[in-house]
Amino acid sequence: QVQLVESGGGLVQPGGSLRLSCAASGSIFGINAMGWYRQAPGKQRDLLARIRPGGSTIYADSVKGRFTISRDNAKNTVYLQMNSLKPEDTAIYYCNANVWVVGSPNGLDAWGQGTLVTVSS
């Protein structure tokens, strides 16, 4: 059993910053890629950023240069630093991790419960 718990969402004014955190816990043998997604009302869930254990990253064009993903492998935690926030960044943000579970030969695609980010004046 693996759990991902996000924190750090909230209300911020346009141009402001927020930092999201997502900690994985449970019967974890190891974690491969970790990422952040978001879903706005009436829209599909989109990938924002992804980071591999060695630190290589990819970003969606919509957040490139404004958002930074990072991870602490020792803490099984991934972060998303969000700067220069815009109203269109308003959405529920989800973290995702590809996890190797203790005692299982199969990987697990785990998701957090989501955290709401609202960008408004």
Side-chain angles (χ1 to χ4, degrees), residues 3-7 19-25 28 30-36 51-53 69-80 95-97 99:
Q3 300 82 37
L4 299 184
V5 178
E6 298 127 337
S7 60
R19 189 191 193 210
L20 306 182
S21 300
C22 173
S25 63
I28 298 172
I31 302 179
N32 194 358
M34 303 183 82
W36 288 96
I51 184 168
R52 299 189 66 85
I69 189 170
S70 60
R71 65 190 285 172
D72 185 331
N73 292 329
K75 296 181 178 179
N76 290 334
T77 299
V78 63
Y79 307 95
L80 187 67
C95 69
N96 168 263
V99 182

Side-chain angles (χ1 to χ4, degrees), residues 28-69:
I28 298 172
F29 181 78
I31 302 179
N32 194 358
M34 303 183 82
W36 288 96
Y37 293 69
R38 71 184 178 193
Q39 187 168 18
K43 295 189 176 181
Q44 66 181 17
R45 188 176 298 187
D46 291 327
L47 172 66
L48 299 178
R50 200 158 178 83
I51 184 168
R52 299 189 66 85
S56 61
T57 58
I58 60 169
Y59 292 93
D61 288 342
S62 60
V63 303
K64 200 172 293 184
R66 298 189 300 126
F67 292 8
T68 302
I69 189 170

